[in-house]
Amino acid sequence: MGGSSPCASCKLLRRRCAKDCIFAPYFPSDDPHKFAIVHKVFGASNVSKMLQELPIQQRGDAVSSLVYEANARVRDPVYGCVGAISYLQNQVSQLQMQLAVAQTEILCIQMQQESTQIHQDDKPFLLPTYNNLDTISQYLNSASSSNIVIQDPPPLKRESLWT
Amino acid sequence: MNPGRCAACRHLRRKCPPDCIFIPHFPPNVPQLFVSVHRIYGASNVAKLLQQLPLHLRADAAESLCLEAQYRIEDPVYGCVGLISLLQQQILDAEKQLAKTRAEIAFLKSQAAQHPQAAALRGNLSDNAADLSFSDHHQSFCG
């Protein structure tokens, strides 16, 4: 750091802050809490190893995500970020269901309008009610694959870790 | 070699005491679990974290640590935060789609309520054209 103040990491670790200190660009001395929390959860040497394995242009993002995870783990020592992931996956599922219901409702309205038109045309040999139900059930079955663009998020890889 | 050692003590090449904090959560038949958490968090950090928790919460904590470690190994830049960002974006997109779809329902209902015969007549006069344009419009709602 060439005579200027050591970075937050070297301050906390009480060591000389070298010119090529791997932490210095990402843990400035004016934000000691940032490194403190990452050090608490991951440990300075683990963070250093992780950053060393990454190209320089990706280290900033890696530090940000580590800080995020560390904060989540301190806030929720049991579930950390995994708690947030479960919650968000649940929200996505609920929204997918609501969207399917809403799109089915549009289909019903369309069917009703067509049915009104058919009756006005006086064509009694058609069976709009039966066709409506059949089409609606086909729509519901295909709702998740064709009309709704949300892709299922990758599931938490619980099973794979224990096989 | 002590066959009764947990995966942690095996990996760390040390004796596994009867009260080892890792035993319940890192069985010897699944060594990869401990290898992952040790690589990302370090054994002592994991031990500290588990020690601070009541016994009945430690299993869930160990499991979530393993999952996060696995995500971090697979994506060294973003870890599980990448998935969180993706889910948040999916929620925003879904909410937008839902709002548009509900607005469309409200519009159709109001049309049918105000001018039911006109709505039916419009369908009768331009049957194919209306169906085609509506399905295109509906597809655009779906993105």
Side-chain angles (χ1 to χ4, degrees), chain B residues 29-108:
Chain B
N29 58 328
V30 197
Q32 190 54 38
L33 291 179
F34 183 77
V35 169
S36 307
V37 294
H38 180 50
R39 182 172 158 185
I40 301 301
Y41 298 101
S44 57
N45 285 334
V46 176
K48 264 188 242 167
L49 203 138
L50 292 177
Q51 268 160 6
Q52 288 166 2
L53 294 172
L55 282 169
H56 66 281
L57 292 176
R58 289 181 188 177
D60 284 352
E63 190 175 331
S64 70
L65 286 168
C66 291
L67 276 166
E68 284 192 34
Q70 195 60 32
Y71 276 119
R72 181 60 61 175
I73 288 168
E74 287 175 5
D75 184 351
V77 181
Y78 297 106
C80 64
V81 177
L83 177 56
I84 289 174
S85 295
L86 178 71
L87 289 168
Q88 286 173 334
Q89 190 56 50
Q90 286 184 345
I91 286 169
L92 285 175
D93 293 343
E95 284 172 344
K96 235 196 263 183
Q97 278 187 18
L98 191 58
K100 278 183 184 175
T101 307
R102 284 178 174 165
E104 189 176 343
I105 290 170
F107 174 72
L108 288 172

Side-chain angles (χ1 to χ4, degrees), chain B residues 5-6 8-17 20-22 34 43 47:
Chain B
R5 286 188 297 173
C6 68
C9 293
R10 268 201 184 169
H11 186 77
L12 298 170
R13 298 185 189 194
R14 64 185 193 193
K15 237 175 39 162
C16 190
C20 174
I21 197 165
F22 296 121
F34 183 77

Side-chain angles (χ1 to χ4, degrees), chain A residues 12-31:
Chain A
L12 185 74
L13 300 171
R14 297 184 190 193
R15 64 186 194 190
R16 194 175 67 87
C17 191
K19 265 189 189 172
D20 58 351
C21 172
I22 196 165
F23 297 120
Y26 315 108
F27 297 102
S29 55
D30 59 357
D31 190 359

